[in-house]
Amino acid sequence: MNDQIRSEKPISKLGTEKLPLPRKRRGPGRGIGQKRIVQERLEILDTIFDNLQEMYNFLTQQGHMIINESGSMLASQSHQNLDQLLKLLEDFLWVINCAIAKNGGQAKLP
């Protein structure tokens, strides 16, 4: 009989106790890690853009003079190739500029 009394007391207490509500977990979102990754991506794109722009400016200013000074028999084709390369670099600069703006950075070309 004592066993029945002992077992009834804990059971009755469990019925009246309130269970703590589980804490609401944060779902996936923009955490610190994602912001850091986006910032690193922007820094890489900025570096690539700056390096390509320096190369573009150098080739625009000095490229034809370098070809002329080489004295190559293929100078006329080299001038055409340089002009084509400069157009492709300019297009690629625009692509990188758009990628920078898309990732939340400040666009560098107007």
Side-chain angles (χ1 to χ4, degrees):
M1 186 147 197
N2 287 340
D3 292 335
Q4 288 178 349
I5 294 173
R6 287 184 190 161
S7 64
E8 287 179 13
K9 287 182 181 178
I11 292 174
S12 64
K13 286 184 180 178
L14 288 176
T16 58
E17 283 185 32
K18 292 184 178 179
L19 296 175
L21 295 174
R23 290 185 179 183
K24 188 174 182 179
R25 291 188 57 190
R26 271 181 77 185
R30 275 183 62 98
I32 298 298
Q34 185 176 356
K35 290 177 186 176
R36 181 183 49 80
I37 291 170
V38 168
Q39 185 61 33
E40 287 175 358
R41 185 180 302 138
L42 279 174
E43 289 172 5
I44 290 169
L45 287 171
D46 283 337
T47 302
I48 292 171
F49 183 88
D50 292 339
N51 290 339
L52 284 176
Q53 192 169 36
E54 283 182 36
M55 185 172 62
Y56 176 81
N57 290 337
F58 175 78
L59 289 175
T60 302
Q61 296 168 1
Q62 304 292 328
H64 290 290
M65 287 188 340
I66 293 170
I67 292 171
N68 289 337
E69 290 175 2
S70 71
S72 173
M73 300 277 291
L74 303 173
S76 63
Q77 182 64 38
S78 297
H79 284 290
Q80 292 173 359
N81 291 343
L82 177 62
D83 290 336
Q84 186 177 9
L85 175 66
L86 290 172
K87 288 178 186 175
L88 292 172
L89 276 174
E90 189 174 343
D91 289 344
F92 194 57
L93 283 170
W94 275 103
V95 169
I96 294 176
N97 188 57
C98 292
I100 290 170
K102 183 179 177 185
N103 284 294
Q106 185 67 31
K108 297 186 177 216
L109 296 176

